[in-house]
Amino acid sequence: MQGVLYVGHGSRVKEGNDQLKAFVDTAKKEIDVPIQETCFLELAEPSILEGVRRCIEQGAESLAVVPVLLLAAGHIKKDIPEKLAAVKRRYPDLNLQYGEPFGLETKILQVLKQRLEKMGWTHEQSADILLVGRGSSDEEAIDDFHVIASRLKEITKAHKVETAFLAAARPTFEEGIEKIKQSSSAHVFVVPYLLFTGILMQEMQTEINAANQKSDTNIHLCDFLGFDEQLITILKKRTEETLQQPEFLVDEYV
């Protein structure tokens, strides 16, 4: 019997984990697979191993593992495959298929634009944009993020779209804030490239509140990507693609 295991990043903030579960639960209704479970890579339960166990208990003999993550960085290339290697050692007869993250999808750009508009951004404003990513030491992921920033500039026709990262890459979020405080625009919109809420959103808001007290530019924090029908469409697409994948080979991780 076929199963699907959705893997979220995990957060210390329960609300963020609940948001991911609700998002996946909505997508599940559009996916015709009898066994579907959600788990987390870190910081939350159930773990990947526990998620696999739950699927097997329901009769899964083949399991499509779908990462609910944005870009192909270290979690996709190393951390999850290592967890799947541990799964294979414990359940050698289980057929595993491994999917891709959301990646460079035009629909995500439309969601980013909607988050800007919800915060009050318009084409006519004198406004700059700071796109903020989680950050990675993986050069491919950073390159993809810069492509997203470039495309966001194209669809918004903003005068300037700067980038910053919350960890593992530069410019840091603090450096990005310092730069945009010097902006000649009346407004700067900070757009988090994050799926759901968590500690990082809280930290950004604290930093922006402090910056607004010391700058003539009005800095606004937009909402995270969150629960959106366009993102559900992407998750459904990635799941269907994963179900068509050949067996995932974990030899190099064993």
Side-chain angles (χ1 to χ4, degrees), residues 93-161:
D93 295 331
L94 179 67
N95 179 72
L96 291 173
Q97 300 149 293
Y98 184 41
E100 298 288 339
F102 284 20
L104 301 177
E105 288 276 348
T106 302
K107 287 183 174 66
I108 298 181
L109 293 171
Q110 295 301 324
V111 176
L112 292 174
K113 186 179 178 184
Q114 289 168 11
R115 298 298 173 263
L116 281 161
E117 292 169 343
K118 182 180 178 182
M119 189 50 62
W121 171 88
T122 66
H123 285 290
E124 296 76 21
Q125 274 184 321
S126 171
D128 293 339
I129 296 170
L130 179 65
L131 183 67
V132 182
R134 183 180 291 272
S136 172
S137 58
D138 185 277
E139 291 184 6
E140 181 184 356
I142 298 301
D143 288 345
D144 284 349
F145 187 75
H146 286 138
V147 169
I148 292 163
S150 176
R151 292 180 182 176
L152 183 62
K153 187 175 188 297
E154 290 176 8
I155 70 167
T156 60
K157 297 179 172 60
H159 172 66
K160 187 183 297 182
V161 176

Side-chain angles (χ1 to χ4, degrees), residues 119-245:
M119 189 50 62
W121 171 88
T122 66
H123 285 290
E124 296 76 21
Q125 274 184 321
S126 171
D128 293 339
I129 296 170
L130 179 65
L131 183 67
V132 182
R134 183 180 291 272
S136 172
S137 58
D138 185 277
E139 291 184 6
E140 181 184 356
I142 298 301
D143 288 345
D144 284 349
F145 187 75
H146 286 138
V147 169
I148 292 163
S150 176
R151 292 180 182 176
L152 183 62
K153 187 175 188 297
E154 290 176 8
I155 70 167
T156 60
K157 297 179 172 60
H159 172 66
K160 187 183 297 182
V161 176
E162 300 283 357
T163 57
F165 301 94
L166 295 162
R170 298 190 70 177
T172 65
F173 180 62
E174 292 76 13
E175 290 169 340
I177 289 292
E178 283 302 313
K179 186 172 184 178
I180 63 173
K181 279 165 59 177
Q182 313 306 318
S183 173
S184 59
S185 297
H187 298 271
V188 171
F189 291 85
V190 177
V191 183
Y193 199 68
L194 303 171
L195 272 173
F196 300 105
T197 195
I199 293 292
L200 298 178
M201 285 294 297
Q202 297 173 2
E203 291 176 347
M204 277 192 286
Q205 187 63 72
T206 299
E207 187 79 20
I208 288 170
N209 291 344
N212 274 325
Q213 296 176 6
K214 303 174 183 178
S215 174
D216 293 332
T217 301
N218 295 301
I219 305 172
H220 312 275
L221 179 61
C222 298
D223 208 350
F224 47 88
L225 288 164
F227 201 109
D228 190 280
E229 182 62 37
Q230 296 176 90
L231 299 181
I232 289 173
T233 299
I234 295 173
L235 181 57
K236 180 183 177 183
K237 177 182 175 183
R238 291 291 178 269
T239 302
E240 291 171 345
E241 291 170 350
T242 307
L243 289 165
Q244 300 303 314
Q245 289 288 335

Side-chain angles (χ1 to χ4, degrees), residues 41-91:
L41 175 60
E42 58 186 14
L43 304 175
E45 295 293 336
S47 66
I48 290 177
L49 195 58
E50 173 61 19
V52 170
R53 186 187 66 79
R54 293 181 183 184
C55 291
I56 289 174
E57 285 185 347
Q58 296 172 64
E61 298 169 316
S62 184
L63 192 59
V65 180
V66 181
V68 191
L69 300 171
L70 290 171
L71 295 173
H75 289 324
I76 293 292
K77 297 176 180 179
K78 182 176 183 293
D79 298 335
I80 296 177
E82 287 179 348
K83 299 288 187 184
L84 296 183
V87 166
K88 197 66 175 177
R89 288 193 294 271
R90 181 168 293 193
Y91 305 106

